[in-house]
Amino acid sequence: LFAGLPNITETEKGTYVSLFGRILLILLFAALGLQGKFTPLSIVFATIAGISGVMVAVGFKARDSAMVLVAILSVANIVINPWWMHSSESAEWDFLRYDFFQWLSIMGGFLLLANTGLGELSLDE
């Protein structure tokens, strides 16, 4: 259109948006992992989750890695954020409920990634 400026087609735009969304999802997941106490068992799960997160970020076996992350987050979410066990008047109930649904939205992002694929900018492609 203009001389000297790059022209991005719709296909290229979708590829870059997919890559950027994948990186943002991993950053959100990493920030989630940095808030908490670490026990020996949680370090094992954090290592598995970290490796799976890197695999999703670079696009290597990302569908399987996303499903591993969904499984880890499902169990961890129920164990760490049991908002239904607290009184609705307490401040802890509100925080746990917020965290529970935040984790649920991250799981939804990984499920969407596993279903739709990664785009062209990945090692699998």
Side-chain angles (χ1 to χ4, degrees):
L1 194 60
F2 296 106
L5 293 177
N7 189 11
I8 298 177
T9 63
E10 287 297 317
T11 306
E12 290 172 338
K13 189 187 304 181
T15 300
Y16 291 120
V17 167
S18 173
L19 174 66
F20 189 61
R22 193 169 70 224
I23 290 171
L24 286 177
L25 184 63
I26 291 301
L27 289 175
L28 184 62
F29 176 70
L32 181 72
L34 293 177
Q35 62 172 2
K37 298 178 182 175
F38 291 104
T39 62
L41 183 61
S42 70
I43 290 173
V44 170
F45 283 118
T47 304
I48 294 169
I51 291 169
S52 297
V54 169
M55 289 173 69
V56 167
V58 297
F60 179 70
K61 302 286 184 193
R63 289 180 186 229
D64 298 332
S65 298
M67 293 307 291
V68 167
L69 290 173
V70 167
I72 289 172
L73 281 174
S74 297
V75 172
N77 197 16
I78 291 171
V79 170
I80 294 173
N81 300 315
W83 58 273
W84 54 89
M85 297 178 72
H86 296 277
S87 170
S88 62
E89 277 98 39
S90 69
E92 189 174 11
W93 176 84
D94 207 22
F95 286 118
L96 288 174
R97 190 168 148 248
Y98 173 79
D99 281 346
F100 181 85
F101 286 106
Q102 180 183 6
W103 288 35
L104 208 60
S105 66
I106 294 171
M107 286 187 283
F110 283 126
L111 286 172
L112 188 63
L113 178 77
N115 184 40
T116 60
L118 304 171
E120 295 178 14
L121 292 177
S122 66
L123 291 179
D124 286 344
E125 295 293 325

